[in-house]
Amino acid sequence: PAVPVLHLFEEIKALGFTGCLNLLHKYINQGRADADRSHISPRRLARMLLTKPDNLKIEHHDLLTRLTAACPEMTQLAAHIRNFAQLLVPAQGNADPLEYWITQVRSADLPHLHAFTRGLERDHNAVIAGLTLPYSNGPTEGVNAKTKLIARQMYGRAGFTLLRHRILLG
């Protein structure tokens, strides 16, 4: 541990090692990561932040709590995500809390959320309709996705008649 990696690299290079310094560095450090340090990808952390807290496993909930408490920006981000998630259940009174949420996010120093709020304001009427009305085009989108899947599966195999039968009977 007291010998610098560069010194080791120079010694083994003289003995005929043909690899690079980065390879030696990886070899020396493998398995030496701190056990208490979290090894989690940004994508997995994002998924944990976006998952309903009731659906998280206990160990993931504890890990998320530790990670969000690690810095003030993560604490703010987690709080804003939780507050926005409450608005996703359509209700008549969601328009005013949305405006309040956008104001809160704009006052925070979270540039990616600022971009998100700009998108919400760009499609303001559609967002308000989506958060306040009980209607959804989800079933239509589901049928569309299923039709595209069947068409992709059948590409080059048969004509329109068989595609039509598979869609109508499936």
Side-chain angles (χ1 to χ4, degrees):
V3 179
V5 176
L6 189 57
H7 182 71
L8 286 174
F9 179 70
E10 290 170 357
E11 282 185 18
I12 63 173
K13 192 78 164 178
L15 295 173
F17 179 67
T18 58
C20 64
L21 179 63
N22 192 22
L23 182 65
L24 177 65
H25 216 299
K26 285 182 180 179
Y27 178 75
I28 290 173
N29 288 327
Q30 65 183 342
R32 294 186 185 206
D34 299 334
D36 60 338
R37 200 175 103 214
S38 170
H39 302 287
I40 185 169
S41 69
R43 179 174 286 179
R44 189 164 177 212
L45 176 60
R47 189 180 81 221
M48 287 170 50
L49 281 169
L50 297 174
T51 299
K52 188 175 180 181
D54 299 340
N55 295 342
L56 283 175
K57 295 178 184 175
I58 294 171
E59 59 270 11
H60 289 165
H61 190 40
D62 295 339
L63 176 62
L64 183 61
T65 303
R66 282 186 292 139
L67 290 173
T68 55
C71 71
E73 289 85 6
M74 282 297 295
T75 307
Q76 280 184 329
L77 178 66
H80 288 310
I81 289 172
R82 278 192 302 273
N83 293 338
F84 187 75
Q86 293 172 354
L87 297 174
L88 293 178
V89 176
Q92 283 295 327
N94 278 351
D96 291 334
L98 176 67
E99 298 301 325
Y100 179 73
W101 184 84
I102 289 173
T103 306
Q104 292 293 94
V105 169
R106 288 286 167 96
S107 66
D109 185 26
L110 300 168
H112 295 297
L113 280 184
H114 292 182
F116 179 68
T117 58
R118 281 193 302 276
L120 290 177
E121 289 176 340
R122 198 172 22 243
D123 295 329
H124 186 72
N125 291 336
V127 171
I128 294 297
L131 296 179
T132 57
L133 300 175
Y135 310 111
S136 169
N137 67 340
T140 305
E141 292 296 332
V143 169
N144 188 18
K146 183 178 178 183
T147 304
K148 288 180 178 183
L149 173 69
I150 293 171
R152 276 195 306 272
Q153 289 174 341
M154 293 185 54
Y155 182 77
R157 299 184 195 279
F160 179 74
T161 307
L162 183 59
L163 173 64
R164 182 175 182 271
H165 285 334
R166 280 197 62 192
I167 290 172
L168 292 176
L169 298 176

